[in-house]
Amino acid sequence: MSAGRVALVTGASRGIGRGIAIALAGKGCKVAVNYQKSASAAEDVCGIIRSNGGTAAAFGADVSSAEGAASLVESVTREIGAIEILVNNAGITRDNLLMRMKGSEWDDVLRTNLSSVYYCTQAVIRGMIKAKFGRIIAVSSVSGLVGNAGQANYSAAKAGILGMIKSVAREVASRGITANVIAPGYIETDMTGILPEDAKRAALSQIPAGRYGSPDDVASAAVFLASDEAAYITGQVLAVDGGMTMM
Ligand code: NAP
């Protein structure tokens, strides 16, 4: 990784995004830590990065809205510099069986998990084309690869990311910009912490590695895909799932 690259990680106040932000900063990136509600957690992430000698700043913004994403990118560019690495990580779940799923549960999940990727990626792409360099990473899920009962909304959003990122990868491949997807399996964060114990046990039985993943497992993949060394890898989907979905 070339030192001093500017990275924006959406949803970096907690969980996987937090891990990615700290790991990118550890490789010398200047990191914009985006959050929506958890301002003090985002400041804590910046504090950890600074205490390790890195550079970070927190930016509150709702990336599920076009205005929120656009103003986030504008603020980061003004305060830190042109964004060279974008990690589209922010996400939510609103699980329900399809027959009970409310329109708001569908809309909120599609907006936060899929439209946000469109908004943020569109907001950075012109600058990356001008710079002839860019790394776009989107955090999908194994649910987007194989589906998951109770997650029709979430799986649709996460599968949508695949089609979108592969299309963007084709549009900008000749401009020094890569676009790739990470599909985590079961990672221990607040998102999975709320699941019932029997669902956690059932998930574990499906993981050949015999353990849940950690945010650091996902962060290692993100650091690689963001690196200069990954220049010839684009339009790919990298599952970080302990073997859960191997074919
Ligand atoms: P998490 O612990 O619940 O953290 C979610 C993060 O997203 C928080 O930082 C939250 O910020 C942020 N966020 C949510 N809505 C936002 C919005 N509208 N604008 C800006 N930020 C927003 O979740 P996680 O487990 O780390 O998940 C991170 C990503 O990985 C998600 O896309 C998720 O779907 C995906 N994933 C997770 C797993 C897993 O097993 N955990 C598996 C596969 C994929 P605030 O707290 O500030 O609101």
Side-chain angles (χ1 to χ4, degrees), residues 172-186:
V172 296
S174 65
R175 312 293 190 114
I177 304 168
T178 67
N180 291 288
V181 175
I182 296 174
Y186 187 113

Side-chain angles (χ1 to χ4, degrees), residues 186 188 200-213 217 241-244 246:
Y186 187 113
E188 282 188 304
K200 289 182 186 171
R201 270 194 304 276
L204 187 58
S205 72
Q206 300 300 311
I207 306 172
R211 67 168 177 89
Y212 302 120
D217 289 317
D241 65 355
M244 213 175 179
M246 72 171 89

Side-chain angles (χ1 to χ4, degrees), residues 10-17 34-39 61-64 89-92 112-113 139-142 154 158 184-192:
T10 68
S13 48
R14 297 183 285 117
I16 292 171
N34 162 246
Y35 65 93
Q36 184 185 22
K37 297 177 188 144
S38 309
D62 174 4
V63 294
S64 74
N89 165 81
I92 57 167
T112 306
N113 295 272
V139 181
S140 174
S141 166
V142 293
Y154 185 78
K158 295 303 193 184
Y186 187 113
I187 310 298
E188 282 188 304
T189 67
D190 295 341
M191 185 176 276
T192 45

Side-chain angles (χ1 to χ4, degrees), residues 31-51:
V31 181
V33 174
N34 162 246
Y35 65 93
Q36 184 185 22
K37 297 177 188 144
S38 309
S40 73
E43 286 302 340
D44 289 349
V45 175
C46 294
I48 291 168
I49 290 172
R50 289 186 201 118
S51 69

Side-chain angles (χ1 to χ4, degrees), residues 52-84:
N52 292 336
T55 304
F59 294 84
D62 174 4
V63 294
S64 74
S65 86
E67 300 74 33
S71 77
L72 169 64
V73 168
E74 197 191 304
S75 306
V76 174
T77 305
R78 195 177 52 242
E79 290 177 35
I80 308 186
I83 295 163
E84 298 166 290

